[in-house]
Structures are given as C-alpha cells and as structure tokens.
Amino acid sequence: MIMNSYYTLKNKILQINQELIALFSDVKSMPGMTGFFFGDWEKTCREIDKHISEEIVRVAVVGPIKSGKSTFANSLFKGDYLKRGAGVVTSIVTKIRIGETLKAKLFFKSWDEVNSEIKEAMVLFPSLNQRSKTDGFDIRRKKDRADLQQAIGALETELLITDDARNTNSVLLSSYLKGYDRVKDIVCSDTKIWEYEDDLFGEHRAFAGDDALAVYLKDIQLQINSGNIGNNIEIADCQGSDSPNPLHLAMIQDYLLFTHFIIYVISSRTGLRRADIRFLSMIKKMGIMDNIIFIINCDFSEHESIDDLKSLIERIEEDLLLIKPEPEIYALSSLFNLFKAQGKKMTQKDRQRLAQWEKEEELVNFSDKETESFESSFNNKLERETYSILFKNHLERLCIISDGLCHQVRVNHDILVGDADSVNEIIEKVKSHQGKMDRIKSMINNTLDGAADKIRHKFKLDIDRFFDARSGEVLKDIIGFIRNYKIFYNEYEENIDASGFSNTLYLIFQEFKQALDTYLAETVNPRVIRFVREEEKSIEEYFESVASPFDAVIQDASVAYAGNMADMGGMPLTFERRESIKLLDMKSIRSISGLAIFPATASMRYTAKIKIEAVM
C-alpha cells in the first residue's frame, strides 16, 4: 500500500490534534475560564487539522501522445477508468483521487467563456470579421451558428492545414458547432458542474474522448474507489506533450507549477524521440527536473526477447543522461499490470492477450520486478521528501501548544495550593516574563515588517528588469522573434488570385500565430516559470535568515523563565530546546492566501485589433 506508514502517522497526529481541541472545549466550559487565552491555540489546532486534511500531493503523468499515460494511470488505480487513446485536440488535464465511491465531476465552461474562445479563434477569419462590436458572436443564436458553419465550409482546403496538421482554430470552431446540441441544456451563464456516479461513471468517457464535447469542458476530476493511492494524492493524466496545439502545452505547464512529482512515460515502441527531448529540455528550463521519474512503458508484443528490451532501455538512458544526471528509470508494462489487476472484468480479447503475454516469462518477471521497484521508490519519495517536512512543522506546533497547556496547569496548581505571598510572587514572575515576551514579539513584528518592505522593493526591481524591453531578455526576445519572422509572400501569390486577399491573410496569420504560440510555450513560458520559482526561493531564504535568530532569543527567554519558576518550588516546570520551526513554503502560502500565478495560457490570447496592422 503506497503511503501506508504516512497514513498511520497522519491519523495519529490528527487524533492528538482532536484531543487538544476537545480539551480546549472542556476548559472553556469551566467556571471562570470563559474568554481565557486558549483561543489562539485552539485556532492553530483547527488550522492544523484543516491543512493536514486538505494537503494534496500532486503527481503529473506526462509524455507524448500514445505513450500509454492513461494506461499507466489506470494501472495505479487497478481498473480501466480513464479513456485510453483519446484524441489530441482536447485540452483537458484529468485529475484523479481516491474516494469512497466512483464519481466523475465535469466542470463546464460558461457561455461567456465559450463565446470568448470562439471570437478569438475567429480573429482574421475570412467573411466573419464584419460583425460590429454591438452584435458580437453568440453560439446560442441559430443565425450565428449557421454563419460560422457556412464560413468554415467556404474555406479552401489549404486554409484548414497549418504545419502539415489540421489548423487548431478550425478544429476548435468545428468542435464547438458539432457539440452544441448535446451540451446546450448543460452549459449556463456560470461554471456548471455535472456529476456521473457509480454505474453512470463511464459516461464521462464520452466527454474525454470526443473533441466536440471536450471542447466545452474546463476540467475533469475523477474519484475512484480502488488502487494503492492515498486519498491525499492527486494523479493528473496530462495531454500529450507533443500535441500540435501550443495551448495544450501551456496548460500542462500551468499544472506542472503545482506538482510535487512528475512521471514521464516513454513508449518502448518509439523510444525517446525528438519531441521528448524538446519537452524534457523545457521542463529543465522550468527548474522542475529534480523530482521526475521515467517510465518506459513496455509493449511485450514489440520485443523479441528480454535482451532486445534491455538494449532499448540502455539507449534511452544514454539519451536521458544528456538532460538529467543519473535519471531514475523503470521499464514495465502498464497494460500487463492493468490486465492483471482487472481479473474477471477483462474482455475475452484482453484475456487472450494476457494469456499470450504470460508465456513470455522473462519479460513478465522483468516487468514485475521493475513495477515493485517503482512502487517502492515512489512511496519513499512521497514519504521522505514531502510528508516528513509537512508533518515535522505540525508536530512542532502541537508540541509548543501542549507545553503551553502543561505550563498553565502547573502555574494554576501552584496558585491553588500556595499561600498569598507565593501566589503574588508567581503572578509577578508570570507578568515579568509576559512583558519580556511582548517586547520580543514587538521587535519581531517590526523587523519582519521592515524586511517585507525591503524584499517587496527588491523583487519589484527584479520583475521590472526581467520584463523590461531594453535590459531584460524575455520581452526583447519575443519582439525579436516577431520582427525576424519571415513571410515568403511569393508562396501566397496564387492564393490571392484563387482565394482572395482575406483568405490569404488568414492563412498567413494562422501560420504566424502557430509559430509564435509554439515559441512562447517552448521557450518563453519555461523561462518565466523558472524566474518565478527562483524569486519564491529567494523570498523563503530571505525570511528564513531574518526570522531564525529570533527563534534562539525566544528559546533562551523560555529556558530562563522555566528556571526562575523552578526556583520557587511547586510542580517542576521544564522547557526543552527544539529545532527551529521552518517557515511555510511558498506553495502553502499561495494556497492559504488564495494567490495564483497568472496562467501560461493567458499569454496566447489575440484580438481583432491585430487586423489593422496585419492588413497594412
């Protein structure tokens, strides 16, 4: 069971936390204790309970189209839940978690979002740019749908092809038209959530695998009640990294920003291709290559022997060494693992395939051993590299609260059993210590406020420099790419005669847009993301350096106070020095504060304002 020891520890911490919360409730019910100072401690305990319960570790399953990402994700959950072999046009990252029942939640775009995407796809679209701003396109109007259908049908064949693939805008527009009648009663003015549960769970596959339906979705979240994945882990089945639509790549980048681990799937049928190298190089530029595991998804039917497979693994490892030192690689058959997990639920055809593969004993034994090694490594990574840090901070906070409670019990005990003089002495000692701690608290607040102002000014300068058109490289490179983009007008002369100026202009614009979007997704976005991550790391390190000296001051004051109280007799009061509590990481701060990085897809929006300059 993946994360088994983690869940044991998690449940123990939650139990301790609940006992402390119950204790606070009991204390508040005691006469004379109403409005006492346990409020902050109780609030902290409730926040700890919320953070531990809601903390999600995100694992992105990425790789090229047809590499077996969905099959691999299915094998983790021990069932055929995800649509396998989905199209390449959909831009949906399917997120899966463990739950008590089977449930699929589909998040639909609003009508405004649908119309906004359609209008953007219609920029410079021949014969559809004459609409006034007051009479903008609305897919709910029958005439608008008919006009769009007629305009698409009137396009020349060459206008529907960009870089030897179907033009993504024409596919988007066609998909919206094809799917309209099937979703018109679902989509509304706000984001609509549609659920399929239990026996109806499989209905979600129609939306995941049909471009005409998937185009209306913002998100798909699946809840599955089987597999060895913990309920605080989210597995994301991402779109193919070699999708011809750069917008899909940007969406993957947006999800990768919040992931803790990446599982990169490589098909043994194709090996490591140029598209893989390009995508992995992009991940490296983003600065998120540390926690990545490579899965070579083996197709037993493609390999004559175990030696043939091992030879392929060696070649892939040699290529990966150029990108990442000591890559962590496991070669296994996701489909074989899925078939084994399904048991009697398999179709007759799949049973025959499984029976045939089981005869390949060397390949099967190799895959089983690699699967076991992967699960062990994955489990250890999740526990050691993520949860140990998370739990350590929560445990430290609970220890401080429990020490504070013990201190209150001891002081109140001494007051109850002492005479008037000893009680007055205890009260004076407590007041003196409280005054000292208030001064330390004020000093810390003033120091951190000053540090925040200083670092805010520093990072404003960093951001201005990074995006400055003269001193920064990013904007300068984008402008340089646009200015250096070559249009070979002689290639379009025949189009002007045959199709007219507007159609030719649209064709040129689509090829330019495809090139610019690809450049933004593959080159610019990774640099921006790396910059954000480096700035966040600098913020963490800066505040850590500012705050850490005060931890020693507080501990020294607490030790001295414990010693003074011990000299007075009564119940012994002790204070043990402990390691400093680490500050919250930036991901946690973003989650608590509701901050979000601007999506990478936002950099790929175009408006009709471009038309005037394009015509000129």
Side-chain angles (χ1 to χ4, degrees):
M1 179 71 177
I2 293 178
M3 304 291 296
N4 191 38
S5 58
Y6 156 70
Y7 286 104
T8 301
L9 179 58
K10 171 189 171 181
N11 290 332
K12 286 182 178 178
I13 293 175
L14 287 173
Q15 182 181 351
I16 293 170
N17 197 48
Q18 286 298 325
E19 289 173 355
L20 284 172
I21 292 174
L23 185 58
F24 290 134
S25 297
D26 292 341
V27 170
K28 286 191 293 186
S29 66
M30 295 171 62
M33 300 301 288
T34 303
F36 212 56
F37 48 77
F38 296 114
D40 288 341
W41 287 345
E42 184 179 11
K43 180 182 177 182
T44 299
C45 285
R46 294 192 183 281
E47 287 176 349
I48 288 174
D49 188 76
K50 180 182 177 182
H51 289 162
I52 290 180
S53 300
E54 294 183 354
E55 188 70 29
I56 299 296
V57 173
R58 292 175 170 83
V59 181
V61 180
V62 298
I65 297 166
K66 302 296 185 182
S67 60
K69 301 182 297 299
S70 298
T71 303
F72 175 79
N74 277 330
S75 70
L76 292 179
F77 290 94
K78 311 298 183 187
D80 209 1
Y81 301 108
L82 290 164
K83 174 76 175 180
R84 291 188 276 140
V88 301
V89 177
T90 57
S91 54
I92 305 298
V93 175
T94 304
K95 302 160 189 173
I96 317 111
R97 299 182 192 174
I98 283 288
E100 295 182 359
T101 59
L102 272 179
K103 182 187 295 184
K105 295 176 71 174
L106 279 58
F107 295 78
F108 285 83
K109 299 171 185 174
S110 67
W111 284 125
D112 285 345
E113 289 171 319
V114 169
N115 285 323
S116 177
E117 283 195 2
I118 292 175
K119 289 173 188 174
E120 186 184 336
M122 286 163 47
V123 171
L124 295 187
F125 201 97
S127 76
L128 281 178
N129 289 291
Q130 303 306 318
R131 292 181 179 276
S132 67
K133 292 182 179 178
T134 57
D135 188 29
F137 183 91
D138 192 329
I139 195 172
R140 288 170 289 184
R141 291 198 291 254
K142 185 176 181 180
K143 184 178 186 307
D144 286 10
R145 295 197 303 275
D147 288 347
L148 180 56
Q149 185 67 63
Q150 183 179 359
I152 293 174
L155 284 179
E156 300 289 340
T157 304
E158 61 268 19
L159 299 181
L160 299 174
I161 305 294
T162 303
D163 287 343
D164 299 323
R166 283 195 69 190
N167 178 273
T168 53
N169 282 334
S170 66
V171 172
L172 181 79
L173 295 173
S174 297
S175 297
Y176 270 125
L177 289 175
K178 289 177 184 176
Y180 176 78
D181 287 334
R182 295 158 72 183
V183 303
K184 64 182 180 182
D185 295 328
I186 302 176
V187 179
C188 58
S189 57
D190 296 315
T191 297
K192 181 71 172 289
I193 301 176
W194 200 261
E195 295 188 356
Y196 292 104
E197 295 189 58
D198 299 324
D199 293 341
L200 296 177
F201 175 83
E203 298 292 323
H204 86 274
R205 295 193 186 97
F207 288 87
D210 187 341
D211 299 335
L213 298 178
V215 74
Y216 283 93
L217 294 177
K218 294 172 68 173
D219 199 5
I220 293 181
Q221 294 181 4
L222 304 184
Q223 178 180 288
I224 294 173
N225 57 354
S226 67
N228 294 339
I229 303 298
N231 58 13
N232 276 47
I233 301 174
E234 178 176 277
I235 305 292
D237 181 24
C238 296
Q239 176 57 276
S241 56
D242 55 346
S243 165
N245 189 349
L247 188 62
H248 300 168
L249 181 57
M251 290 180 173
I252 297 173
Q253 290 169 341
D254 285 334
Y255 188 81
L256 291 180
L257 266 176
F258 302 98
T259 59
H260 298 80
F261 297 97
I262 299 172
I263 297 176
Y264 194 89
V265 182
I266 303 166
S267 171
S268 72
R269 295 192 305 273
T270 59
L272 203 65
R273 298 177 298 172
R274 185 177 177 182
D276 294 293
I277 298 296
R278 190 165 62 243
F279 184 74
L280 290 170
S281 298
M282 183 203 73
I283 291 177
K284 188 174 183 179
K285 289 177 188 175
M286 291 172 66
I288 55 175
M289 185 62 86
D290 291 342
N291 290 323
I292 186 168
I293 297 174
F294 296 96
I295 296 293
I296 300 176
N297 192 20
C298 303
D299 185 343
F300 289 163
S301 304
E302 289 288 320
H303 304 286
E304 294 293 333
S305 65
I306 188 67
D307 293 332
D308 177 46
L309 176 59
K310 288 182 177 180
S311 178
L312 172 69
I313 295 170
E314 289 176 4
R315 291 198 301 272
I316 292 175
E317 185 173 11
E318 288 175 4
D319 291 335
L320 289 176
L321 282 169
L322 300 174
I323 299 173
K324 178 177 173 57
E326 300 180 4
E328 188 173 348
I329 304 171
Y330 300 95
L332 52 89
S333 174
S334 300
L335 192 56
F336 179 75
N337 290 343
L338 177 59
F339 284 168
K340 285 199 304 180
Q342 284 184 287
K344 296 180 180 179
K345 295 180 181 179
M346 281 190 297
T347 63
Q348 182 61 34
K349 183 178 179 181
D350 288 341
R351 287 197 190 97
Q352 292 173 354
R353 293 174 72 185
L354 177 61
Q356 181 65 35
W357 286 347
E358 285 177 335
K359 297 176 183 177
E360 303 287 345
E361 292 187 7
E362 285 187 315
L363 290 172
V364 168
N365 291 337
F366 181 80
S367 177
D368 287 345
K369 185 177 178 182
E370 290 285 286
T371 300
E372 184 179 344
S373 298
F374 160 73
E375 290 181 349
S376 175
S377 174
F378 188 46
N379 181 34
N380 290 335
K381 280 180 179 293
L382 290 173
E383 289 184 355
R384 184 180 67 251
E385 297 179 20
T386 303
Y387 289 115
S388 60
I389 298 173
L390 172 68
F391 282 161
K392 184 178 180 181
N393 274 356
H394 291 321
L395 279 170
E396 288 289 351
R397 286 175 170 81
L398 289 175
C399 285
I400 290 172
I401 291 171
S402 62
D403 283 348
L405 281 171
C406 289
H407 167 253
Q408 292 300 324
V409 170
R410 289 164 182 163
V411 169
N412 281 284
H413 172 271
D414 291 347
I415 289 175
L416 290 172
V417 301
D419 54 29
D421 291 336
S422 64
V423 168
N424 287 331
E425 186 178 0
I426 290 172
I427 292 173
E428 288 302 317
K429 291 281 188 183
V430 171
K431 285 183 176 179
S432 175
H433 177 68
Q434 188 175 26
K436 186 175 182 179
M437 295 305 288
D438 285 342
R439 289 191 293 274
I440 292 174
K441 180 180 177 181
S442 177
M443 182 172 59
I444 292 173
N445 285 334
N446 291 335
T447 302
L448 290 179
D449 286 343
D453 290 337
K454 183 178 178 181
I455 203 166
R456 190 180 294 114
H457 176 71
K458 175 187 180 301
F459 288 115
K460 184 180 183 301
L461 293 176
D462 288 348
I463 293 167
D464 289 343
R465 280 194 295 266
F466 184 78
F467 289 105
D468 187 79
R470 290 169 295 179
S471 60
E473 294 184 359
V474 171
L475 194 55
K476 188 190 300 181
D477 289 350
I478 295 173
I479 295 172
F481 177 88
I482 294 171
R483 287 177 176 169
N484 293 326
Y485 181 79
K486 300 295 183 184
I487 299 174
F488 299 98
Y489 297 101
N490 59 305
E491 296 181 1
Y492 300 99
E493 288 178 357
E494 292 182 5
N495 287 95
I496 292 178
D497 294 335
S499 305
F501 177 78
S502 293
N503 285 354
T504 304
L505 181 63
Y506 176 73
L507 176 61
I508 293 173
F509 172 68
Q510 288 304 310
E511 293 183 353
F512 163 74
K513 181 177 181 294
Q514 179 80 7
L516 180 57
D517 285 348
T518 301
Y519 176 75
L520 290 173
E522 294 183 353
T523 305
V524 175
N525 288 350
R527 288 160 64 181
V528 174
I529 291 168
R530 188 183 187 95
F531 170 74
V532 171
R533 291 175 62 86
E534 288 175 349
E535 294 293 274
E536 287 184 343
K537 185 178 180 182
S538 296
I539 293 173
E540 287 184 33
E541 291 175 349
Y542 180 74
F543 276 107
E544 194 75 49
S545 66
V546 171
S548 58
F550 291 109
D551 187 78
V553 173
I554 293 171
Q555 294 207 48
D556 288 341
S558 299
V559 169
Y561 171 67
N564 289 337
M565 296 298 285
D567 292 340
M568 295 168 54
M571 292 181 69
L573 180 64
T574 60
F575 180 86
E576 295 183 3
R577 290 185 178 274
R578 56 173 59 90
E579 291 184 30
S580 301
I581 298 178
K582 288 184 67 63
L583 299 176
L584 289 173
D585 61 81
M586 293 303 295
K587 285 184 179 179
S588 300
I589 292 173
R590 284 203 304 263
S591 175
I592 293 169
S593 61
L595 290 172
I597 297 173
F598 213 65
T601 53
S603 64
M604 298 182 177
R605 302 300 180 190
Y606 298 77
T607 69
K609 292 179 181 178
I610 198 173
K611 183 179 181 182
I612 297 174
E613 188 168 346
V615 170
M616 295 300 295

